[in-house]
Amino acid sequence: MTTEATETGRKPKAEGVGGGIKTQINLPWSKAAQIAMNSLKIRFWRSMITGAGIFLGIAFLCFSGSPILISLFQHKLVPGPDLNRQVWLVVMALLVCTVGIMNSMLMSVSERFREIGTMKCLGALNSLIVRLFLIEALFMGFVSSFGGWVLGFFAVFLVRWITLGWAGGVTSLTPGIIAGSLVLSVLIGGALTLIAALLPAQRAAQMPPAAALRTEV
Amino acid sequence: MSATEYIVRTKDVVKVFTLGEEKLRALDGVNVDIRRGEYISIMGPSGSGKSTLFNAIGGLDKPDSGSVFINDVDMAQLDAGELAYLRCHTIGYIFQTFNLITVMTALENVTLPTIFAGTPTDDGIARGMELLDIVGLGHRYHHKPSQLSGGQQQRVAIARSLANNPSIILADEPTGNLDSKTGEEIIALLRRLNKEQGVTIITATHDYKMVDVSDRVIWIRDGKVEKIENRADIQLSIGGMAGEAEHLAGAAGVDAVG
Ligand SMILES: Nc1ncnc2c1ncn2[C@@H]1O[C@H](COP(=O)(O)OP(=O)(O)OP(=O)(O)O)[C@@H](O)[C@H]1O
Ligand SMILES: [Mg+2]
């Protein structure tokens, strides 16, 4: 695939008539954040659907991973068929979650290739485009993962209450366990979302605009 | 020739598309010189290379060889930042398919280039409203493209192309998706911008009505410039276009309606 010149790699050039050639300004992060948030807002329902993919994936992962996490915090992680089964479940959940998030993000970014081409025609720098998708993805990833964690952990809470009772099941969910699962959920969800958004966004931003405008989704 | 007489020059521009084994020379050594303030139509049959030339002149695609000069600066020498500046400030693009951003309102679409230019938000909005008024859509500023007709969308696109006061407007079949009456309105609008604001207009077109307002017509065929005619030479009378189209097609020997 052909790409354009990079923004950092300056080539020596003959100066044009009437002095130097002007270069495009870099918008500040605050402005980029404003554009990105607006972009999420104006496609609210589309964003919700994409977010739902992340949300469900993380909820599932959080729920499936909780037995191991709890054993880990209680120092009761003993090798055996039980653990094997739990690990297996987490690996499957992680896989489902990864595929789900990748799928929803890849879709939502690829259907915007033309928009990326259009923005480049209107003077957007590649770095701005990547930045916009980065901010959108971070926001989507964190918010949806947080939501997913709330649902997943609530399910853990309910299941333990019902099966183990309040005293043994719920009281053993220490702040450390709650915080640990929250951090893990948000980190995994955020990272997967970010990767899945940035790879196609970067690729589209580096295409010549004519190529990006030609893409059909 | 003064240094700034020509706003756009192309020198032996070649663009080759590789389709499997086959190599297709979509542009095969194109040389054109366009003066500041001219209204140029690029005509030719379908597949002759008009859009490819549009992309090359606009810096939207790199030619395989040859050079495009904008204001005497070789575009191939520009880095990405300078290229972005050129797209933002020097050239306004109008596409056959409008290429508006569908989730944005008319006003947001028109304002977008001012955001990239770093214009303060309020000034950008004021500019956007002013331009929408110019194209006669001030009252529809909050409508999304899907709520506008094709002609109205194209007028939004024209307003957008003017956002940062470009010195060149590049239009690829701006009337291609429009009925003939709406097409005439768009042509009149482009002509007005050309006359009143001195914007250089370069349009690829199939539309013979365009010839009527052009200073020069560049005929291309199979990726080569076939001939360049001044309007005076084409000897068109204003109006009565229906007959002229046939006359032209015959005179030019080009099946330009493809
Ligand atoms: N991305 C591409 N890949 C392969 N071939 C292409 C590509 N773009 C254009 N071509 C080919 O290059 C030639 C010129 O195409 P171009 O789009 O410039 O024609 P055009 O004059 O704009 O036609 P039309 O009036 O139908 O828009 C055509 O034969 C086309 O098939
Ligand atoms: Mg074309």
Side-chain angles (χ1 to χ4, degrees):
Chain A
M1 163 150 339
T2 56
T3 60
E4 295 193 304
T6 58
E7 272 147 35
T8 44
R10 285 185 72 88
K11 295 174 277 180
K13 66 175 69 70
E15 293 294 297
V17 277
I21 304 157
K22 290 192 191 135
T23 195
Q24 182 65 303
I25 55 162
N26 265 307
L27 293 181
W29 277 95
S30 59
K31 188 75 197 173
Q34 197 188 327
I35 303 173
M37 286 302 139
N38 187 49
S39 165
L40 284 170
K41 199 183 78 195
I42 55 183
R43 57 188 106 234
F44 182 78
W45 292 111
R46 186 67 187 87
S47 308
M48 289 297 276
I49 292 171
T50 311
I54 303 166
F55 173 86
L56 291 174
I58 291 298
F60 182 46
L61 181 66
C62 174
F63 182 74
S64 322
S66 67
I68 293 190
L69 191 75
I70 292 167
S71 310
L72 200 67
F73 268 86
Q74 296 173 338
H75 306 288
K76 285 185 196 155
L77 209 56
V78 281
D82 247 17
L83 182 64
N84 289 348
R85 197 176 52 81
Q86 288 169 0
V87 168
W88 176 239
L89 200 69
V90 172
V91 169
M92 289 311 290
L94 198 59
L95 213 67
V96 169
C97 178
T98 307
V99 171
I101 291 178
M102 289 275 170
N103 185 42
S104 20
M105 285 313 288
L106 286 177
M107 269 303 290
S108 79
V109 178
S110 339
E111 67 195 17
R112 290 168 65 187
F113 272 26
R114 283 181 68 106
E115 177 182 334
I116 292 176
T118 305
M119 291 203 295
K120 285 192 66 172
C121 291
L122 304 181
L125 286 169
N126 300 359
S127 55
L128 174 67
I129 290 168
V130 171
R131 216 175 261 192
L132 293 178
F133 278 86
L134 175 114
I135 298 169
E136 278 191 41
L138 274 179
F139 185 82
M140 287 279 286
F142 282 142
V143 170
S144 312
S145 305
F146 178 76
W149 171 78
V150 170
L151 177 68
F153 205 79
F154 184 64
V156 172
F157 168 88
L158 276 186
V159 168
R160 287 179 69 91
W161 189 5
I162 292 164
T163 57
L164 302 173
W166 185 269
V170 177
T171 51
S172 60
L173 293 174
T174 60
I177 293 174
I178 298 175
S181 79
L182 170 61
V183 169
L184 273 178
S185 300
V186 170
L187 278 187
I188 294 174
L192 285 175
T193 310
L194 203 62
I195 294 169
L198 282 192
L199 290 181
Q202 184 119 38
R203 198 172 72 93
Q206 281 174 353
M207 288 183 191
L213 286 174
R214 236 187 339 257
T215 51
E216 302 276 346
V217 174
Chain B
M1 172 175 62
S2 90
T4 51
E5 182 186 358
Y6 291 109
I7 192 161
V8 175
R9 284 187 300 138
T10 70
K11 192 165 183 308
D12 298 324
V13 170
V14 173
K15 181 77 189 176
V16 181
F17 290 113
T18 314
L19 305 153
E21 299 283 282
E22 218 176 314
K23 285 207 188 306
L24 193 144
R25 292 175 84 82
L27 294 178
D28 195 1
V30 172
N31 293 292
V32 295
D33 296 327
I34 295 167
R35 289 186 204 93
R36 206 168 290 281
E38 269 194 305
Y39 193 125
I40 297 281
S41 286
I42 300 171
M43 295 198 103
S46 184
S48 56
K50 301 183 295 295
S51 298
T52 312
L53 184 58
F54 169 94
N55 288 335
I57 292 178
L60 305 182
D61 213 353
K62 272 187 296 204
D64 292 303
S65 69
S67 316
V68 175
F69 299 89
I70 304 285
N71 288 322
D72 289 318
V73 177
D74 184 352
M75 219 171 331
Q77 301 295 319
L78 300 180
D79 67 26
E82 292 159 342
L83 208 49
Y85 183 90
L86 185 91
R87 290 174 190 144
C88 192
H89 293 268
T90 312
I91 304 178
Y93 305 87
I94 302 171
F95 303 90
Q96 182 177 0
T97 49
F98 317 138
N99 285 345
L100 296 175
I101 294 180
T102 49
V103 290
M104 291 186 181
T105 63
L107 182 60
E108 286 169 328
N109 267 291
V110 177
T111 311
L112 196 55
T114 69
I115 294 176
F116 296 148
T119 312
T121 310
D122 291 343
D123 298 354
I125 290 175
R127 175 77 181 144
M129 283 308 297
E130 177 192 333
L131 288 167
L132 283 174
D133 279 334
I134 289 179
V135 298
L137 284 175
H139 59 298
R140 305 292 297 269
Y141 71 94
H142 57 287
H143 288 202
K144 301 252 173 83
S146 58
Q147 297 164 321
L148 298 172
S149 73
Q152 289 167 335
Q153 290 182 56
Q154 193 60 295
R155 281 190 275 163
V156 173
I158 292 176
R160 181 181 67 179
S161 74
L162 292 166
N164 293 322
N165 283 313
S167 37
I168 305 167
I169 287 189
L170 261 181
D172 191 2
E173 310 203 18
T175 59
N177 276 347
L178 308 177
D179 66 59
S180 100
K181 180 173 165 296
T182 319
E184 272 169 44
E185 283 169 22
I186 299 288
I187 292 169
L189 178 60
L190 287 175
R191 184 56 176 170
R192 208 175 85 213
L193 292 167
N194 172 250
K195 279 262 181 284
E196 289 173 6
Q197 316 205 2
V199 185
T200 305
I201 302 214
I202 305 171
T203 74
T205 187
H206 276 149
D207 191 339
Y208 283 98
K209 290 191 293 300
M210 211 52 122
V211 174
D212 205 20
V213 298
S214 305
D215 297 317
R216 287 192 296 158
V217 179
I218 298 172
W219 298 89
I220 74 169
R221 176 185 273 276
D222 297 334
K224 293 196 176 74
V225 175
E226 194 174 44
K227 61 180 171 187
I228 300 178
E229 291 178 310
N230 290 318
R231 181 153 73 103
D233 302 335
I234 304 171
Q235 288 183 331
L236 274 183
S237 55
I238 309 297
M241 289 307 300
E244 298 298 344
E246 282 156 38
H247 159 76
L248 252 185
V254 170
D255 49 327
V257 187

